[in-house]
mmCIF file of all heavy atoms in Angstrom:
data_model
loop_
_atom_site.group_PDB
_atom_site.id
_atom_site.type_symbol
_atom_site.label_atom_id
_atom_site.label_comp_id
_atom_site.label_asym_id
_atom_site.label_seq_id
_atom_site.Cartn_x
_atom_site.Cartn_y
_atom_site.Cartn_z
ATOM 1 N N MET A 1265 -16.805 19.324 -28.556
ATOM 2 C CA MET A 1265 -16.348 20.286 -29.544
ATOM 3 C C MET A 1265 -17.477 21.239 -29.902
ATOM 4 O O MET A 1265 -18.682 20.887 -29.950
ATOM 5 C CB MET A 1265 -15.834 19.589 -30.808
ATOM 6 C CG MET A 1265 -16.900 18.899 -31.629
ATOM 7 S SD MET A 1265 -17.628 17.429 -30.854
ATOM 8 C CE MET A 1265 -16.234 16.339 -30.964
ATOM 9 N N ASN A 1266 -17.076 22.473 -30.224
ATOM 10 C CA ASN A 1266 -18.039 23.467 -30.701
ATOM 11 C C ASN A 1266 -17.924 23.500 -32.238
ATOM 12 O O ASN A 1266 -17.279 24.309 -32.831
ATOM 13 C CB ASN A 1266 -17.773 24.855 -30.073
ATOM 14 C CG ASN A 1266 -18.202 24.859 -28.619
ATOM 15 O OD1 ASN A 1266 -19.180 24.289 -28.255
ATOM 16 N ND2 ASN A 1266 -17.377 25.478 -27.790
ATOM 17 N N PHE A 1267 -18.631 22.523 -32.826
ATOM 18 C CA PHE A 1267 -18.625 22.358 -34.279
ATOM 19 C C PHE A 1267 -19.323 23.604 -34.950
ATOM 20 O O PHE A 1267 -19.922 24.448 -34.266
ATOM 21 C CB PHE A 1267 -19.417 21.099 -34.663
ATOM 22 C CG PHE A 1267 -20.721 20.953 -33.882
ATOM 23 C CD1 PHE A 1267 -21.887 21.665 -34.213
ATOM 24 C CD2 PHE A 1267 -20.773 20.113 -32.748
ATOM 25 C CE1 PHE A 1267 -23.079 21.549 -33.458
ATOM 26 C CE2 PHE A 1267 -21.973 19.992 -32.035
ATOM 27 C CZ PHE A 1267 -23.056 20.695 -32.382
ATOM 28 N N ARG A 1268 -19.169 23.704 -36.254
ATOM 29 C CA ARG A 1268 -19.717 24.859 -36.952
ATOM 30 C C ARG A 1268 -21.201 24.977 -36.667
ATOM 31 O O ARG A 1268 -21.939 23.947 -36.556
ATOM 32 C CB ARG A 1268 -19.473 24.781 -38.453
ATOM 33 C CG ARG A 1268 -20.220 23.711 -39.186
ATOM 34 C CD ARG A 1268 -19.757 23.554 -40.598
ATOM 35 N NE ARG A 1268 -18.383 22.947 -40.596
ATOM 36 C CZ ARG A 1268 -17.532 23.088 -41.619
ATOM 37 N NH1 ARG A 1268 -17.850 23.775 -42.703
ATOM 38 N NH2 ARG A 1268 -16.302 22.565 -41.513
ATOM 39 N N GLY A 1269 -21.677 26.209 -36.485
ATOM 40 C CA GLY A 1269 -23.023 26.426 -36.091
ATOM 41 C C GLY A 1269 -23.132 26.721 -34.629
ATOM 42 O O GLY A 1269 -24.109 27.313 -34.143
ATOM 43 N N SER A 1270 -22.093 26.324 -33.833
ATOM 44 C CA SER A 1270 -22.120 26.676 -32.387
ATOM 45 C C SER A 1270 -22.102 28.161 -32.222
ATOM 46 O O SER A 1270 -21.427 28.871 -32.984
ATOM 47 C CB SER A 1270 -20.924 26.024 -31.704
ATOM 48 O OG SER A 1270 -20.914 24.628 -31.836
ATOM 49 N N THR A 1271 -22.835 28.654 -31.256
ATOM 50 C CA THR A 1271 -22.957 30.093 -31.091
ATOM 51 C C THR A 1271 -21.742 30.639 -30.303
ATOM 52 O O THR A 1271 -21.022 29.921 -29.616
ATOM 53 C CB THR A 1271 -24.213 30.444 -30.308
ATOM 54 O OG1 THR A 1271 -24.304 29.691 -29.102
ATOM 55 C CG2 THR A 1271 -25.433 30.111 -31.181
ATOM 56 N N GLY A 1272 -21.541 31.928 -30.490
ATOM 57 C CA GLY A 1272 -20.481 32.622 -29.778
ATOM 58 C C GLY A 1272 -19.248 32.877 -30.609
ATOM 59 O O GLY A 1272 -18.378 33.692 -30.205
ATOM 60 N N TYR A 1273 -19.187 32.341 -31.856
ATOM 61 C CA TYR A 1273 -17.993 32.444 -32.666
ATOM 62 C C TYR A 1273 -18.245 33.331 -33.885
ATOM 63 O O TYR A 1273 -17.462 33.275 -34.843
ATOM 64 C CB TYR A 1273 -17.489 31.074 -33.070
ATOM 65 C CG TYR A 1273 -17.077 30.217 -31.915
ATOM 66 C CD1 TYR A 1273 -17.896 29.247 -31.376
ATOM 67 C CD2 TYR A 1273 -15.814 30.409 -31.329
ATOM 68 C CE1 TYR A 1273 -17.529 28.486 -30.254
ATOM 69 C CE2 TYR A 1273 -15.445 29.569 -30.200
ATOM 70 C CZ TYR A 1273 -16.313 28.657 -29.707
ATOM 71 O OH TYR A 1273 -15.899 27.910 -28.609
ATOM 72 N N GLY A 1274 -19.340 34.040 -33.926
ATOM 73 C CA GLY A 1274 -19.608 34.982 -34.957
ATOM 74 C C GLY A 1274 -20.627 34.419 -36.011
ATOM 75 O O GLY A 1274 -20.948 33.253 -35.996
ATOM 76 N N ARG A 1275 -21.071 35.365 -36.837
ATOM 77 C CA ARG A 1275 -22.121 35.024 -37.764
ATOM 78 C C ARG A 1275 -21.651 34.052 -38.824
ATOM 79 O O ARG A 1275 -22.324 33.090 -39.203
ATOM 80 C CB ARG A 1275 -22.620 36.314 -38.436
ATOM 81 C CG ARG A 1275 -23.842 36.053 -39.359
ATOM 82 C CD ARG A 1275 -24.048 37.160 -40.389
ATOM 83 N NE ARG A 1275 -23.977 38.511 -39.738
ATOM 84 C CZ ARG A 1275 -24.528 39.553 -40.310
ATOM 85 N NH1 ARG A 1275 -25.235 39.456 -41.370
ATOM 86 N NH2 ARG A 1275 -24.365 40.749 -39.760
ATOM 87 N N ARG A 1276 -20.434 34.251 -39.368
ATOM 88 C CA ARG A 1276 -19.943 33.372 -40.448
ATOM 89 C C ARG A 1276 -19.862 31.916 -40.001
ATOM 90 O O ARG A 1276 -20.233 30.997 -40.723
ATOM 91 C CB ARG A 1276 -18.606 33.875 -40.991
ATOM 92 C CG ARG A 1276 -18.709 35.159 -41.796
ATOM 93 C CD ARG A 1276 -17.398 35.471 -42.509
ATOM 94 N NE ARG A 1276 -16.369 35.792 -41.549
ATOM 95 C CZ ARG A 1276 -16.132 37.027 -41.112
ATOM 96 N NH1 ARG A 1276 -16.904 38.039 -41.491
ATOM 97 N NH2 ARG A 1276 -15.125 37.234 -40.233
ATOM 98 N N PHE A 1277 -19.351 31.722 -38.782
ATOM 99 C CA PHE A 1277 -19.194 30.350 -38.239
ATOM 100 C C PHE A 1277 -20.602 29.728 -38.047
ATOM 101 O O PHE A 1277 -20.809 28.534 -38.318
ATOM 102 C CB PHE A 1277 -18.425 30.385 -36.899
ATOM 103 C CG PHE A 1277 -18.018 29.080 -36.383
ATOM 104 C CD1 PHE A 1277 -16.922 28.422 -36.891
ATOM 105 C CD2 PHE A 1277 -18.711 28.412 -35.381
ATOM 106 C CE1 PHE A 1277 -16.512 27.174 -36.443
ATOM 107 C CE2 PHE A 1277 -18.348 27.160 -34.900
ATOM 108 C CZ PHE A 1277 -17.215 26.580 -35.432
ATOM 109 N N TRP A 1278 -21.582 30.513 -37.577
ATOM 110 C CA TRP A 1278 -22.950 30.049 -37.422
ATOM 111 C C TRP A 1278 -23.542 29.689 -38.773
ATOM 112 O O TRP A 1278 -24.131 28.630 -38.943
ATOM 113 C CB TRP A 1278 -23.730 31.122 -36.704
ATOM 114 C CG TRP A 1278 -25.170 30.901 -36.572
ATOM 115 C CD1 TRP A 1278 -25.808 29.919 -35.878
ATOM 116 C CD2 TRP A 1278 -26.222 31.761 -37.107
ATOM 117 N NE1 TRP A 1278 -27.207 30.108 -35.983
ATOM 118 C CE2 TRP A 1278 -27.435 31.205 -36.719
ATOM 119 C CE3 TRP A 1278 -26.239 32.895 -37.846
ATOM 120 C CZ2 TRP A 1278 -28.679 31.756 -37.099
ATOM 121 C CZ3 TRP A 1278 -27.423 33.480 -38.205
ATOM 122 C CH2 TRP A 1278 -28.654 32.896 -37.814
ATOM 123 N N GLU A 1279 -23.428 30.590 -39.741
ATOM 124 C CA GLU A 1279 -24.008 30.374 -41.046
ATOM 125 C C GLU A 1279 -23.412 29.152 -41.760
ATOM 126 O O GLU A 1279 -24.050 28.521 -42.645
ATOM 127 C CB GLU A 1279 -23.876 31.590 -41.935
ATOM 128 C CG GLU A 1279 -24.741 32.810 -41.511
ATOM 129 C CD GLU A 1279 -24.556 33.973 -42.399
ATOM 130 O OE1 GLU A 1279 -23.744 33.912 -43.352
ATOM 131 O OE2 GLU A 1279 -25.197 35.008 -42.156
ATOM 132 N N ALA A 1280 -22.137 28.821 -41.377
ATOM 133 C CA ALA A 1280 -21.511 27.656 -42.053
ATOM 134 C C ALA A 1280 -22.240 26.348 -41.771
ATOM 135 O O ALA A 1280 -21.944 25.358 -42.451
ATOM 136 C CB ALA A 1280 -20.028 27.549 -41.603
ATOM 137 N N SER A 1281 -23.148 26.387 -40.786
ATOM 138 C CA SER A 1281 -23.914 25.144 -40.466
ATOM 139 C C SER A 1281 -25.206 25.018 -41.277
ATOM 140 O O SER A 1281 -25.844 23.934 -41.237
ATOM 141 C CB SER A 1281 -24.293 25.210 -38.977
ATOM 142 O OG SER A 1281 -25.263 26.159 -38.700
ATOM 143 N N PHE A 1282 -25.635 26.037 -41.988
ATOM 144 C CA PHE A 1282 -26.937 25.982 -42.682
ATOM 145 C C PHE A 1282 -26.941 24.906 -43.682
ATOM 146 O O PHE A 1282 -26.049 24.783 -44.557
ATOM 147 C CB PHE A 1282 -27.245 27.279 -43.316
ATOM 148 C CG PHE A 1282 -27.457 28.469 -42.313
ATOM 149 C CD1 PHE A 1282 -27.366 28.269 -40.986
ATOM 150 C CD2 PHE A 1282 -27.849 29.703 -42.772
ATOM 151 C CE1 PHE A 1282 -27.607 29.295 -40.054
ATOM 152 C CE2 PHE A 1282 -28.046 30.752 -41.910
ATOM 153 C CZ PHE A 1282 -27.886 30.576 -40.562
ATOM 154 N N GLY A 1283 -27.933 24.029 -43.580
ATOM 155 C CA GLY A 1283 -28.072 22.910 -44.509
ATOM 156 C C GLY A 1283 -27.020 21.847 -44.365
ATOM 157 O O GLY A 1283 -26.840 20.996 -45.243
ATOM 158 N N GLN A 1284 -26.348 21.834 -43.181
ATOM 159 C CA GLN A 1284 -25.186 20.893 -43.034
ATOM 160 C C GLN A 1284 -25.411 19.844 -41.921
ATOM 161 O O GLN A 1284 -24.432 19.244 -41.472
ATOM 162 C CB GLN A 1284 -23.953 21.718 -42.747
ATOM 163 C CG GLN A 1284 -23.550 22.588 -43.961
ATOM 164 C CD GLN A 1284 -23.259 21.733 -45.221
ATOM 165 O OE1 GLN A 1284 -22.523 20.789 -45.170
ATOM 166 N NE2 GLN A 1284 -23.899 22.113 -46.296
ATOM 167 N N TRP A 1285 -26.644 19.639 -41.454
ATOM 168 C CA TRP A 1285 -26.852 18.528 -40.528
ATOM 169 C C TRP A 1285 -26.465 17.196 -41.231
ATOM 170 O O TRP A 1285 -26.903 16.924 -42.350
ATOM 171 C CB TRP A 1285 -28.372 18.439 -40.149
ATOM 172 C CG TRP A 1285 -28.814 19.500 -39.167
ATOM 173 C CD1 TRP A 1285 -28.469 20.794 -39.159
ATOM 174 C CD2 TRP A 1285 -29.731 19.284 -38.082
ATOM 175 N NE1 TRP A 1285 -29.164 21.452 -38.121
ATOM 176 C CE2 TRP A 1285 -29.915 20.538 -37.452
ATOM 177 C CE3 TRP A 1285 -30.384 18.191 -37.586
ATOM 178 C CZ2 TRP A 1285 -30.736 20.723 -36.406
ATOM 179 C CZ3 TRP A 1285 -31.237 18.355 -36.454
ATOM 180 C CH2 TRP A 1285 -31.415 19.559 -35.896
ATOM 181 N N GLY A 1286 -25.630 16.428 -40.599
ATOM 182 C CA GLY A 1286 -25.196 15.185 -41.183
ATOM 183 C C GLY A 1286 -24.112 15.313 -42.162
ATOM 184 O O GLY A 1286 -23.671 14.288 -42.728
ATOM 185 N N LEU A 1287 -23.726 16.515 -42.516
ATOM 186 C CA LEU A 1287 -22.739 16.754 -43.555
ATOM 187 C C LEU A 1287 -21.473 17.421 -42.903
ATOM 188 O O LEU A 1287 -20.821 16.795 -42.136
ATOM 189 C CB LEU A 1287 -23.305 17.610 -44.695
ATOM 190 C CG LEU A 1287 -24.485 16.930 -45.347
ATOM 191 C CD1 LEU A 1287 -25.222 17.913 -46.328
ATOM 192 C CD2 LEU A 1287 -24.104 15.642 -46.140
ATOM 193 N N SER A 1288 -21.194 18.673 -43.184
ATOM 194 C CA SER A 1288 -19.949 19.266 -42.679
ATOM 195 C C SER A 1288 -19.981 19.457 -41.130
ATOM 196 O O SER A 1288 -18.973 19.446 -40.495
ATOM 197 C CB SER A 1288 -19.675 20.619 -43.371
ATOM 198 O OG SER A 1288 -20.668 21.559 -43.146
ATOM 199 N N MET A 1289 -21.222 19.634 -40.600
ATOM 200 C CA MET A 1289 -21.291 19.637 -39.112
ATOM 201 C C MET A 1289 -20.848 18.344 -38.563
ATOM 202 O O MET A 1289 -20.142 18.338 -37.524
ATOM 203 C CB MET A 1289 -22.738 20.017 -38.676
ATOM 204 C CG MET A 1289 -23.238 21.376 -39.013
ATOM 205 S SD MET A 1289 -25.014 21.570 -38.695
ATOM 206 C CE MET A 1289 -24.997 21.704 -36.910
ATOM 207 N N GLN A 1290 -21.218 17.300 -39.187
ATOM 208 C CA GLN A 1290 -20.801 15.918 -38.700
ATOM 209 C C GLN A 1290 -19.371 15.714 -39.004
ATOM 210 O O GLN A 1290 -18.639 15.117 -38.185
ATOM 211 C CB GLN A 1290 -21.675 14.890 -39.398
ATOM 212 C CG GLN A 1290 -21.596 13.509 -38.712
ATOM 213 C CD GLN A 1290 -22.263 13.500 -37.321
ATOM 214 O OE1 GLN A 1290 -23.223 14.203 -37.132
ATOM 215 N NE2 GLN A 1290 -21.725 12.708 -36.419
ATOM 216 N N ASP A 1291 -18.848 16.255 -40.105
ATOM 217 C CA ASP A 1291 -17.396 16.145 -40.397
ATOM 218 C C ASP A 1291 -16.538 16.820 -39.313
ATOM 219 O O ASP A 1291 -15.474 16.308 -38.974
ATOM 220 C CB ASP A 1291 -17.118 16.812 -41.732
ATOM 221 C CG ASP A 1291 -17.632 16.065 -42.921
ATOM 222 O OD1 ASP A 1291 -18.006 14.862 -42.794
ATOM 223 O OD2 ASP A 1291 -17.768 16.635 -44.025
ATOM 224 N N ASP A 1292 -17.041 17.924 -38.765
ATOM 225 C CA ASP A 1292 -16.282 18.580 -37.679
ATOM 226 C C ASP A 1292 -16.150 17.642 -36.486
ATOM 227 O O ASP A 1292 -15.125 17.652 -35.850
ATOM 228 C CB ASP A 1292 -17.018 19.854 -37.243
ATOM 229 C CG ASP A 1292 -17.013 20.954 -38.280
ATOM 230 O OD1 ASP A 1292 -16.241 20.832 -39.253
ATOM 231 O OD2 ASP A 1292 -17.800 21.917 -38.132
ATOM 232 N N ILE A 1293 -17.198 16.864 -36.206
ATOM 233 C CA ILE A 1293 -17.116 15.907 -35.115
ATOM 234 C C ILE A 1293 -16.169 14.779 -35.466
ATOM 235 O O ILE A 1293 -15.300 14.389 -34.665
ATOM 236 C CB ILE A 1293 -18.526 15.404 -34.763
ATOM 237 C CG1 ILE A 1293 -19.432 16.547 -34.334
ATOM 238 C CG2 ILE A 1293 -18.480 14.275 -33.695
ATOM 239 C CD1 ILE A 1293 -20.905 16.176 -34.254
ATOM 240 N N THR A 1294 -16.303 14.281 -36.640
ATOM 241 C CA THR A 1294 -15.419 13.168 -37.116
ATOM 242 C C THR A 1294 -13.950 13.650 -37.067
ATOM 243 O O THR A 1294 -13.055 12.902 -36.670
ATOM 244 C CB THR A 1294 -15.826 12.744 -38.513
ATOM 245 O OG1 THR A 1294 -17.170 12.325 -38.523
ATOM 246 C CG2 THR A 1294 -14.912 11.622 -39.024
ATOM 247 N N ASP A 1295 -13.681 14.866 -37.536
ATOM 248 C CA ASP A 1295 -12.347 15.396 -37.529
ATOM 249 C C ASP A 1295 -11.790 15.493 -36.103
ATOM 250 O O ASP A 1295 -10.622 15.324 -35.854
ATOM 251 C CB ASP A 1295 -12.252 16.748 -38.170
ATOM 252 C CG ASP A 1295 -12.539 16.700 -39.689
ATOM 253 O OD1 ASP A 1295 -12.541 15.563 -40.201
ATOM 254 O OD2 ASP A 1295 -12.786 17.772 -40.314
#
């Protein structure tokens, strides 16, 4: 999966990963 922060999907999707290691980035994997 290309969880939030993965490149290629625009700046907003990339910025959604800031400060989110182990948090919402991990939630994307869990989801």
Side-chain angles (χ1 to χ4, degrees):
M1265 71 289 291
N1266 288 320
F1267 44 79
R1268 71 190 69 202
S1270 300
T1271 53
Y1273 298 98
R1275 186 200 314 204
R1276 287 190 294 272
F1277 191 79
W1278 172 63
E1279 289 181 0
S1281 70
F1282 292 1
Q1284 295 300 309
W1285 285 41
L1287 300 171
S1288 61
M1289 293 172 75
Q1290 196 68 33
D1291 290 341
D1292 292 346
I1293 298 169
T1294 302
D1295 291 348

